[in-house]
Amino acid sequence: MKEDDLAKFVGGKIKHYRKKKKLTQNDLGELIGKKNNTISNYETGTISPEQDALFAIAKALDIRVDDLFPEMNVEDQNNNFERALQMADGLELNEMNFLKDLIEKTLSMQGEDREKFLESIRFTVEYYEKMNQD
């Protein structure tokens, strides 16, 4: 799916769930700290919500962020599984268990807690990469 198509898809989902909750664009904007024209631009796919806005929208609409995105088909899931197996090749068992624990921890969290957890992992990876640049 192209980026423009994805923005329109997400926008359509935002509109669908907003209407389902009987909220106006202004109502949703107030709930997430955005102007109603920004909500309109999200819904038309003119602009894509930033990550923090996606989480705020999901929270305001009582949905998961995943609900705003297209579902992956079985073939994509199988390809991702194959890719994960290839990526794990060469890892020690304790390393694979550690990564499995990270994934399970991530899946056990939702919303802001999950985002904070993932942000701490991103920070660690970025810090490591910065410290090991030659």
Side-chain angles (χ1 to χ4, degrees):
M1 182 175 275
K2 294 189 300 187
E3 192 172 326
D4 288 347
D5 293 339
L6 181 60
K8 288 178 183 175
F9 183 91
V10 170
K13 288 291 197 168
I14 292 170
K15 184 175 184 176
H16 167 77
Y17 287 112
R18 175 182 60 79
K19 287 186 169 201
K20 190 174 180 182
K21 292 270 301 177
K22 297 181 176 34
L23 297 173
T24 65
Q25 289 177 342
N26 195 51
D27 294 335
L28 180 57
E30 287 180 10
L31 287 171
I32 68 166
K34 302 282 183 188
K35 295 183 179 180
N36 65 316
N37 63 330
T38 302
I39 302 301
S40 175
N41 287 332
Y42 290 163
E43 290 183 357
T44 60
T46 305
I47 60 173
S48 296
E50 297 289 328
Q51 189 172 348
D52 59 335
L54 284 171
F55 280 93
I57 290 166
K59 184 175 181 179
L61 299 175
D62 295 320
I63 59 172
R64 300 172 306 131
V65 172
D66 290 350
D67 294 334
L68 297 173
F69 292 91
E71 290 186 32
M72 290 176 44
N73 63 38
V74 174
E75 185 175 312
D76 288 342
Q77 290 174 350
N78 288 340
N79 289 342
N80 285 342
F81 181 69
E82 289 296 322
R83 184 170 172 249
L85 287 175
Q86 289 173 354
M87 290 171 62
D89 189 38
L91 291 176
E92 299 292 327
L93 182 59
N94 64 333
E95 295 166 332
M96 285 189 280
N97 282 330
F98 173 71
L99 293 174
K100 177 187 72 69
D101 291 344
L102 279 176
I103 292 168
E104 287 174 351
K105 179 68 173 173
T106 303
L107 293 173
S108 73
M109 304 169 115
Q110 292 184 358
E112 193 173 311
D113 288 338
R114 180 186 285 185
E115 185 50 39
K116 285 179 183 177
F117 181 70
L118 290 172
E119 187 58 35
S120 67
I121 294 170
R122 281 186 206 97
F123 174 81
T124 303
V125 170
E126 289 169 6
Y127 179 79
Y128 176 83
E129 288 173 348
K130 189 174 186 180
M131 297 305 295
N132 289 293
Q133 289 178 345
D134 290 359

